[in-house]
Amino acid sequence: VAVIGAGPAGLTCAGDLIRLGYSVTLFEALHNPGGVLVYGIPEFRLPKDIVYKEVDMLKAQGLDLQLNMVVGKVYDLQEVMDLGYEAVFIGTGAGLPLFMGIPGEELNGVYSANEYLTRINLMKAYKFPEWDTPVHVGKRVAVIGGGNVAMDAARCSLRLPGVEEVHIIYRRSGEEMPARIEESHHAKEEGVIFDVLTNPLQYIGDENGWVKKAELQKQELGEPDASGRRRPVPVEGSNYTIEVDTVVVAIGQKPSPLVPLTAPALNTRPNRTIETDEETCATSIPGVYAGGDVATGAATVISAMGAGKRAAESIHKYLSAKA
């Protein structure tokens, strides 16, 4: 069996299949396994040694781990299947960041949360120049968004050298904030400033193309929208600017299209998630299964692990029926 993506879904699926007696190759695009467990979740929340010990146990049980293997570029899905694998599980996550499309997002110092957290957590940018990857921060950081990823970005920022002030800028009130209560509590406890009912309109740069200011606008809550939360409505004449050295956009992410784009027979939804059977994780291609964020959109680690377990069970039934 081939497993694509060494995040929570892929690792769980691979582990269960190995224990069922299958030979498993795990293809991972990055240079370290773990997915969001290593590039997204900060060290102070999840020490990376824990993840690597789990992976080492799987390797000791026979897992063939292929790193720096970008399926969709090195191989397409059909080429993976042509290598002789009898079933495939796709667990490539949701690593494609969303932006607001406002002026100034192209400025230096404006990051997606994905890049920012990857530089810090996986690439050890906080140890630059001991480690090769730098991260530009400065004194004032603004994180756009109110989810768990925004809290991780804000708390990581506080721990970087030279940072004096970190703002969470969120367009609704604290009651509507999607982050877990304990995550926002820890961020406040550590000194993150919460600018709620506030939305960025544009970022303003200097003559060298570096972000220096953010223009913000106050919001008030209107009628509920499709999410069930009250919709933010701009307050006319409430615009103001703050000085920023770094902006981190943490308003969500969607699945990378790399694998589906190379597999026309793989049915996807308009939001680029792969269509699957919720119970079995089966896709439109026989023998190909998918689960985690690539099938559901951005969700939790535990739900991705659950999908990995369901997929392993389904693959076992599929291959047992063929035997």
Side-chain angles (χ1 to χ4, degrees):
V1 178
V3 175
I4 305 170
L11 287 170
T12 302
C13 183
D16 280 14
L17 287 169
I18 286 168
R19 283 184 279 278
L20 286 165
Y22 292 97
S23 172
V24 180
T25 302
L26 181 50
F27 297 101
E28 167 55 40
L30 294 175
H31 63 283
N32 277 334
V36 72
L37 302 173
V38 295
Y39 73 72
I41 300 176
E43 184 81 21
F44 58 83
R45 284 185 56 206
L46 175 62
K48 306 310 163 208
D49 284 351
I50 293 173
V51 181
Y52 296 142
K53 281 177 184 172
E54 293 289 327
V55 175
D56 285 344
M57 282 198 298
L58 293 179
K59 286 162 71 177
Q61 293 170 31
L63 175 67
D64 177 18
L65 179 61
Q66 301 282 330
L67 299 173
N68 302 303
M69 289 293 290
V70 186
V71 175
K73 291 290 186 182
V74 181
Y75 297 123
D76 63 27
L77 182 59
Q78 186 59 53
E79 286 170 334
V80 169
M81 297 168 76
D82 290 344
L83 291 172
Y85 296 102
E86 297 169 273
V88 177
F89 174 74
I90 304 168
T92 48
L96 194 65
L98 299 176
F99 285 93
M100 295 177 65
I102 61 176
E105 281 185 323
E106 78 288 346
L107 289 167
N108 296 318
V110 179
Y111 293 91
S112 70
N114 301 56
E115 180 188 350
Y116 190 69
L117 289 171
T118 299
R119 282 176 176 267
I120 294 167
N121 297 326
L122 180 63
M123 310 298 289
K124 304 288 191 288
Y126 58 89
K127 291 185 175 181
F128 184 79
E130 292 173 54
W131 286 64
D132 290 339
T133 301
V135 64
H136 168 83
V137 188
K139 293 181 179 180
R140 298 176 188 85
V141 179
V143 179
I144 315 302
N148 293 323
V149 173
M151 301 305 144
D152 283 343
R155 294 176 69 196
C156 280
S157 299
L158 283 175
R159 289 161 167 80
L160 293 174
V163 173
E164 296 175 1
E165 201 171 277
V166 179
H167 292 253
I168 286 276
I169 296 170
Y170 179 58
R171 60 184 184 154
R172 291 185 169 95
S173 75
E175 284 69 38
E176 285 81 25
M177 199 171 276
R180 295 169 66 203
I181 291 170
E182 59 264 43
E183 298 300 334
S184 57
H185 169 77
H186 290 317
K188 288 174 186 171
E189 195 174 49
E190 291 180 358
V192 174
I193 300 160
F194 279 65
D195 298 332
V196 295
L197 289 168
T198 306
N199 208 35
L201 296 181
Q202 66 170 326
Y203 307 117
I204 301 159
D206 64 13
E207 64 278 7
N208 297 315
W210 287 93
V211 67
K212 289 299 170 190
K213 291 181 180 178
E215 183 182 351
L216 309 175
Q217 185 180 43
K218 288 291 184 185
Q219 309 284 301
E220 59 188 8
L221 294 178
E223 295 301 312
D225 62 13
S227 73
R229 295 174 295 171
R230 293 175 66 191
R231 185 170 58 87
V233 179
V235 176
E236 293 300 322
S238 65
N239 299 23
Y240 67 102
T241 61
I242 62 170
E243 291 187 7
V244 293
D245 301 301
T246 299
V247 174
V248 183
V249 182
I251 60 169
Q253 57 274 336
K254 56 188 176 183
S256 164
L258 270 181
V259 174
L261 281 176
T262 67
L266 193 64
N267 290 348
T268 58
R269 304 180 185 91
N271 65 356
R272 290 183 172 170
T273 54
I274 296 173
E275 282 187 12
T276 61
D277 180 283
E278 199 170 321
E279 290 303 310
T280 66
C281 297
T283 72
S284 54
I285 302 175
V288 177
Y289 299 77
D293 290 0
V294 74
T296 62
T300 62
V301 167
I302 198 70
S303 65
M305 293 175 73
K309 293 189 81 65
R310 292 196 303 278
E313 187 179 341
S314 299
I315 289 168
H316 178 51
K317 286 179 181 174
Y318 168 76
L319 294 178
S320 298
K322 282 181 68 180

